[in-house]
Amino acid sequence: GENVEQHPSTLSVQEGDSAVIKCTYSDSASNYFPWYKQELGKRPQLIIDIRSNVGEKKDQRIAVTLNKTAKHFSLHITETQPEDSAVYFCAADNQAGTALIFGKGTTLSVSS
Amino acid sequence: DGGITQSPKYLFRKEGQNVTLSCEQNLNHDAMYWYRQDPGQGLRLIYYSQIVNDFQKGDIAEGYSVSREKKESFPLTVTSAQKNPTAFYLCASSMGGRGRQPQHFGDGTRLSIL
C-alpha cells in the first residue's frame, strides 16, 4: 500500500546549525507534500508545502526540496533556534488525492 | 486554528462503552478527517469525508464509526469493539474536498481507559 518513510526519528543539533529531515514515498502519483510541526501537547501546524511541479520552495529559514524521480523530499532548517524544537511530520497525498499519508515523525532537539 | 473545535479535551471510557468525540469547523471546508496519534506512530488515518453524507475508511477504521450529516460537523464514535482506544485523536479539515490542499488541525482529544 501507499507508504511514507521518514528519517531520522530523532535529531539533535546545536543552536545555529542546520537540520535536515528526509522522506521517501511509494506512490508515483503523489503530487502534494506538506510538512507539519507539532509542539508538545499541541496541534500539528503546517510550516511549508510543495507540489510536484516545483523542485524547491523556501520560506525564510525553512526550505523543502523534491525529487520526483527518486520519490523523496526533504526539509531543511537553517540557523536553528531552540524554539524549532518539536516533532516534524512529512506527508504525501494518496493516489486519489483525497487524503494524506503521514510519516512517523522526527523529534528535533535544538540545544543552546 | 481557531476554526476547528474539538471537544472534549480529555475523555475517559469505561469497558464496553461507546464514546463520541466532537469536531466542528467554521472554515467552510468540504473535507474532514480523523487521525489517531500514538507515540512513535505518527498520524494514522481513521476516516475521512469529502462531502456531506459520504465518508471513507482510512487505514485503521476498525472499531470506529463516523457520520457527516452537516458540512461543519464530523463526529467520531469509538466503539467497544476498539480494544485499545487510548490515544490522542486529531480532527482536520481542508478545502475543495481533495487531499492536495493544506489540512488544518484541531487541538485534539486525549482518550483514556478507566
Side-chain angles (χ1 to χ4, degrees):
Chain A
E2 297 153 336
N3 187 45
V4 174
E5 298 276 347
Q6 184 172 346
H7 298 281
S9 56
T10 60
L11 180 58
S12 295
V13 299
Q14 292 285 322
E15 184 177 1
D17 287 350
S18 293
V20 180
I21 302 170
K22 299 181 179 180
C23 290
T24 59
Y25 59 98
S26 59
D27 192 344
S28 57
S30 294
N31 282 303
Y32 176 63
F33 308 92
W35 286 88
Y36 286 84
K37 175 184 180 181
Q38 186 179 28
E39 297 176 6
L40 191 63
K42 298 195 174 179
R43 68 178 82 186
Q45 295 205 311
L46 180 73
I47 55 171
I48 195 167
D49 57 8
I50 192 168
R51 298 178 192 277
S52 60
N53 57 344
V54 298
E56 183 175 4
K57 184 177 179 180
K58 283 185 179 179
D59 183 3
Q60 299 183 335
R61 297 186 295 109
I62 294 173
V64 57
T65 58
L66 172 64
N67 183 328
K68 281 222 76 179
T69 303
K71 292 191 285 186
H72 67 70
F73 56 112
S74 300
L75 178 71
H76 304 254
I77 306 174
T78 59
E79 301 172 24
T80 54
Q81 301 166 3
E83 51 264 39
D84 293 329
S85 297
V87 180
Y88 291 81
F89 294 98
C90 64
D93 64 333
N94 64 359
Q95 188 176 54
T98 54
L100 292 175
I101 304 157
F102 282 82
K104 292 189 175 183
T106 296
T107 301
L108 174 63
S109 299
V110 181
S111 53
S112 54
Chain B
D1 293 348
I4 302 177
T5 302
Q6 289 188 242
S7 62
K9 191 175 177 74
Y10 299 96
L11 187 58
F12 298 92
R13 197 192 86 170
K14 296 179 182 178
E15 290 289 335
Q17 186 182 41
N18 292 353
V19 292
T20 298
L21 285 61
S22 170
C23 179
E24 303 276 332
Q25 55 99 359
N26 62 5
L27 300 169
N28 200 32
H29 284 172
D30 289 314
M32 297 186 74
Y33 311 84
W34 273 106
Y35 294 93
R36 170 179 172 143
Q37 188 172 27
D38 297 280
Q41 293 294 319
L43 280 71
R44 293 185 290 169
L45 185 63
I46 305 172
Y47 269 98
Y48 60 103
S49 168
Q50 300 293 309
I51 56 173
V52 174
N53 292 323
D54 189 39
F55 48 83
Q56 289 78 40
K57 293 181 179 180
D59 298 322
I60 56 167
E62 186 173 351
Y64 300 96
S65 66
V66 294
S67 62
R68 187 86 188 276
E69 297 176 2
K70 300 187 298 181
K71 187 175 184 178
E72 308 79 36
S73 179
F74 192 40
L76 173 74
T77 296
V78 183
T79 74
S80 56
Q82 173 49 247
K83 298 306 179 188
N84 183 25
T86 298
F88 189 51
Y89 291 87
L90 285 160
C91 178
S93 69
S94 68
M95 288 177 58
R98 303 287 292 178
R100 296 179 179 129
Q101 296 290 337
Q103 289 186 16
H104 304 265
F105 286 85
D107 284 330
T109 292
R110 192 165 297 278
L111 177 62
S112 302
I113 292 289
L114 276 180

